[in-house]
């Protein structure tokens, strides 16, 4: 609910004239190129990847992420002719708030982050790589060609968010020191990512245009919060994942669509209105669906 409130505050400040179109345009770029990369760099660089590493868990998260994005992309291509809608729909249906919500959520249940850092390392880089690939290919009007492959690869290796993740993984694996001055400086930049992105989302949200896309919005929200978890959860349970591992998988599968989807769609030619609409609806509905998933797996004795 606090996330949804900040979105509404952004809309209110836009009506008052305190957030202008010029400000939101610059703020979008600031979040995409600086704040979000810093946030992910900080989250991953401060993890102890080597001591908690589990091949079974990491491989499961990577395979599940790949299947989520591939199926949502295929569904989007079958349903929509507009390439910008395909890219926005696919990433909004598959990409949750794993990094932003994950650690805080698990700590509230277990008192520590458990296996969530491993889930972030396994899934979040793929979230971003697949999103860049889908948005680049979907927004391209040309047919599959070597030029499109080069453009896609360039988009992946130059994406600021992916660079932030890569830098964080290198920092963690090398065990480099996390000096207080570095922690504070990076922390200040990282801390503005989510609130600024949510304010901008609220300020630029186009209600009438979003209502025209209520069908795709609700389908993407249902896929993100209910359908995908219902399909993959039983597999995770069958494979023996329990406790904090299963909660981390729940966050990966069933967390609401991250505001990063809106930022990336707007900066990479995707349908920003559809992305914003899914972020808002999934965020609001997740207060019910996440409670349901936690209640279900706890009642069944898996956590």
């Amino acid at each position: 609910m606090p996330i949804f409130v900040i979105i509404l505050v952004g809309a209110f400040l836009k009506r008052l004239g305190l957030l202008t179109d010029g400000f939101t345009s610059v703020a979008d770029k600031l979040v995409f190129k600086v704040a979000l990369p810093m946030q992910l760099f900080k989250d991953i660089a401060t993890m102890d990847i080597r001591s908690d590493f589990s091949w079974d868990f990491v491989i499961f998260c990577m395979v599940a992420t790949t299947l989520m994005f591939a199926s949502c992309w295929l569904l989007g291509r079958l349903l929509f002719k507009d390439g910008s809608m395909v890219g926005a729909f696919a990433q909004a249906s598959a990409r949750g708030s794993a990094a932003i919500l994950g650690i805080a959520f698990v700590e509230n249940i277990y008192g520590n982050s458990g296996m969530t850092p491993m889930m972030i390392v396994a899934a979040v880089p793929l979230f971003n790589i697949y999103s860049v690939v889908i948005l680049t290919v979907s927004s391209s009007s040309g047919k599959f060609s070597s030029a499109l492959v080069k453009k896609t690869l360039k988009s992946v290796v130059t994406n600021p968010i992916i660079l932030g993740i890569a830098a964080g993984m290198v920092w963690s694996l090398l065990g480099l020191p996390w000096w207080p001055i570095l922690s504070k400086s990076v922390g200040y930049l990282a801390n503005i990512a989510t609130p600024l992105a949510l304010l901008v989302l609220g300020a630029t949200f186009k209600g009438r245009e979003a209502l025209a896309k209520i069908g795709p919005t609700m389908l993407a929200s249902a896929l993100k919060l209910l359908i995908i978890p219902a399909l993959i959860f039983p597999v995770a349970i069958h494979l023996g994942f329990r406790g904090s591992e299963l909660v981390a998988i729940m966050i990966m599968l069933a967390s609401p669509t991250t505001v990063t989807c809106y930022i990336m769609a707007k900066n990479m030619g995707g349908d920003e209105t559809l992305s914003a609409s899914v972020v808002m609806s999934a965020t609001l509905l997740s207060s019910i669906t996440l409670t349901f998933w936690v209640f279900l797996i706890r009642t069944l004795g898996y956590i």
Side-chain angles (χ1 to χ4, degrees), residues 213-251:
K213 299 175 180 177
I214 190 66
T217 295
M218 297 314 296
L219 176 57
S221 299
L223 283 166
K224 185 72 205 72
L225 301 176
L226 293 171
I227 298 173
I228 289 174
L231 292 173
I232 301 180
F233 256 148
V235 179
I237 292 170
H238 177 72
L239 291 175
F241 295 113
R242 298 290 188 271
S244 66
E245 289 181 330
L246 195 60
V247 176
I249 290 171
M250 180 190 70
I251 294 298

Side-chain angles (χ1 to χ4, degrees), residues 13-290:
L13 293 177
K14 178 68 183 294
R15 284 184 172 272
L16 292 180
L18 294 177
L19 298 182
T20 64
D21 291 337
F23 172 82
T24 57
S25 177
V26 173
D28 269 330
K29 292 182 175 60
L30 177 64
V31 172
F32 180 65
K33 295 183 177 181
V34 180
L36 276 174
M38 285 293 181
Q39 182 185 64
L40 290 166
F41 168 71
K42 178 177 179 289
D43 287 344
I44 295 175
T46 53
M47 296 175 185
D48 188 356
I49 295 176
R50 288 175 294 183
S51 66
D52 296 328
F53 198 85
S54 168
W55 274 113
D56 291 345
F57 182 75
V58 167
I59 291 173
F60 175 85
C61 290
M62 294 176 73
V63 171
T65 298
T66 302
L67 291 175
M68 283 194 298
F69 274 86
S71 57
C72 291
W73 190 10
L74 178 60
L75 182 61
R77 287 175 64 87
L78 292 173
L79 293 177
F80 311 115
K81 294 181 180 179
D82 184 345
S84 65
M85 283 189 68
V86 172
F89 174 85
Q91 72 151 348
S93 300
R95 183 177 185 176
S97 302
I100 296 172
L101 178 66
I103 290 177
F105 200 88
V106 177
E107 283 182 345
N108 281 335
I109 296 176
Y110 283 101
N112 59 68
S113 59
M115 290 298 290
T116 307
M118 277 297 96
M119 180 272 290
I120 291 173
V121 169
V124 171
L126 292 181
F127 280 7
N128 288 276
I129 292 171
Y130 291 152
S131 293
V132 171
V133 171
I134 288 171
L135 289 169
T136 302
V137 174
S138 299
S139 63
S140 174
S141 57
K143 297 181 179 179
F144 186 81
S145 64
S146 59
L148 179 56
V149 173
K150 290 180 182 178
K151 179 182 177 182
T152 303
L153 289 174
K154 181 180 179 182
S155 297
V156 170
V157 299
T158 61
N159 184 274
I161 296 174
I162 294 175
L163 292 175
I165 292 171
M169 292 183 70
V170 170
W171 197 281
S172 177
L173 289 171
L174 293 178
L176 297 176
W178 194 245
W179 301 290
I181 189 170
L182 178 65
S183 176
K184 293 240 178 183
S185 301
V186 172
Y188 287 144
L189 289 171
N191 289 341
I192 69 171
T194 300
L196 184 57
L198 293 172
L199 285 172
V200 170
L201 189 157
T204 57
F205 184 70
K206 301 169 184 175
R208 290 183 180 179
E209 293 182 21
L211 284 175
K213 299 175 180 177
I214 190 66
T217 295
M218 297 314 296
L219 176 57
S221 299
L223 283 166
K224 185 72 205 72
L225 301 176
L226 293 171
I227 298 173
I228 289 174
L231 292 173
I232 301 180
F233 256 148
V235 179
I237 292 170
H238 177 72
L239 291 175
F241 295 113
R242 298 290 188 271
S244 66
E245 289 181 330
L246 195 60
V247 176
I249 290 171
M250 180 190 70
I251 294 298
M252 180 183 73
L253 299 175
S255 60
T257 302
T258 176
V259 69
T260 311
C261 284
Y262 163 76
I263 297 296
M264 287 189 69
K266 190 169 185 179
N267 282 273
M268 298 189 65
D271 189 327
E272 62 188 77
T273 301
L274 176 59
S275 298
S277 183
V278 177
V279 170
M280 292 185 70
S281 64
T283 298
L284 187 60
L285 294 171
S286 68
S287 61
I288 300 171
T289 57
L290 273 176

